[in-house]
Amino acid sequence: MPHTSIHYAAEGPRVAVRRFRMEDGDEFVRRVRESKDLHAPWLAMPDSEAAYAEYAARLIGNPARAGFLVCEKDSGDIAGFININNIVRGGFQCGALGYGAFAHAAGRGLMREALEVVIGYAFGPLGLHRLEINVQPGNTASIALARGAGFRLEGFSPKMIQVGGEWRDHERWALTTEMRAGG
């Protein structure tokens, strides 16, 4: 049954994105647990109510972050998430995207659609000029998502981000408003 009382920040044909809320913890944690094999070793996600509360608190009301839950429009179910982290204003106007699909939604094109929706929101209402995605080189699904959305590979950083207690290499991908306008 659709979650009709929820306000969406932006919508596409099959998905809508909305901000994280504390009351989403139960469904989010359930989806994380169902998706453990899909996320390993790429993501370390909050898999308890307490961990979710801590995670969501870092996103909610923080001007340096914009966290979005990707929801299926027909049911309102959470299909994944896309966060814009490290938002820097002033002359930079940039943010770094982090994202993940949940197992029940993987491979259905929902995250591709949601990424387009969030990019439009970031370059529109948020007023950003540049988005970056840092991806572990072996994460072919995430790289395909970045490439498909028009991001370009800009470099490689050894031991850049700690994931699951280990410092991991990452490819750096980026998209600017000019690149998007140019097709």
Side-chain angles (χ1 to χ4, degrees):
M1 166 175 254
H3 300 256
T4 56
S5 63
I6 294 176
H7 171 74
Y8 291 114
E11 298 183 41
R14 297 183 303 147
V15 300
V17 297
R18 63 178 174 82
R19 298 296 184 126
F20 276 75
R21 303 172 311 161
M22 286 300 179
E23 54 266 33
D24 293 313
D26 182 55
E27 182 180 2
F28 191 89
V29 168
R30 182 169 38 86
R31 297 294 185 195
V32 165
R33 289 177 181 164
E34 293 168 355
S35 305
K36 188 174 183 175
D37 291 341
L38 177 66
H39 292 158
W42 317 118
L43 294 171
M45 297 301 302
D47 61 358
S48 70
E49 289 283 337
Y52 173 82
E54 193 176 308
Y55 177 78
R58 290 192 305 263
L59 294 166
I60 297 169
N62 183 340
R65 294 183 172 167
F68 298 99
L69 293 172
V70 176
C71 302
E72 296 183 63
K73 283 176 68 174
D74 62 348
S75 66
D77 292 344
I78 299 172
F81 63 93
I82 301 175
N83 299 330
I84 307 173
N85 300 301
N86 307 322
I87 296 173
V88 179
R89 296 297 183 175
F92 204 39
Q93 297 298 337
C94 181
L97 294 177
Y99 50 78
F102 290 127
H104 75 283
R108 295 173 40 205
L110 300 174
M111 290 301 291
R112 177 72 180 95
E113 182 181 320
L115 185 57
E116 286 296 327
V117 168
V118 170
I119 290 168
Y121 187 82
F123 288 160
L126 283 182
L128 297 180
H129 173 259
R130 176 183 171 92
L131 292 171
E132 299 175 355
I133 297 174
N134 298 300
V135 182
Q136 293 172 61
N139 190 343
T140 56
S142 188
I143 290 170
L145 190 60
R147 183 179 284 122
F151 285 74
R152 72 173 169 231
L153 178 62
E154 291 192 332
F156 177 82
S157 295
K159 310 237 181 268
M160 180 182 185
I161 300 173
Q162 192 176 58
V163 179
E166 294 182 37
W167 290 99
R168 299 183 190 252
D169 300 344
H170 281 73
E171 293 180 358
R172 296 185 324 276
W173 293 76
L175 180 70
T176 63
T177 56
E178 293 86 358
M179 290 166 59
R180 188 150 167 102

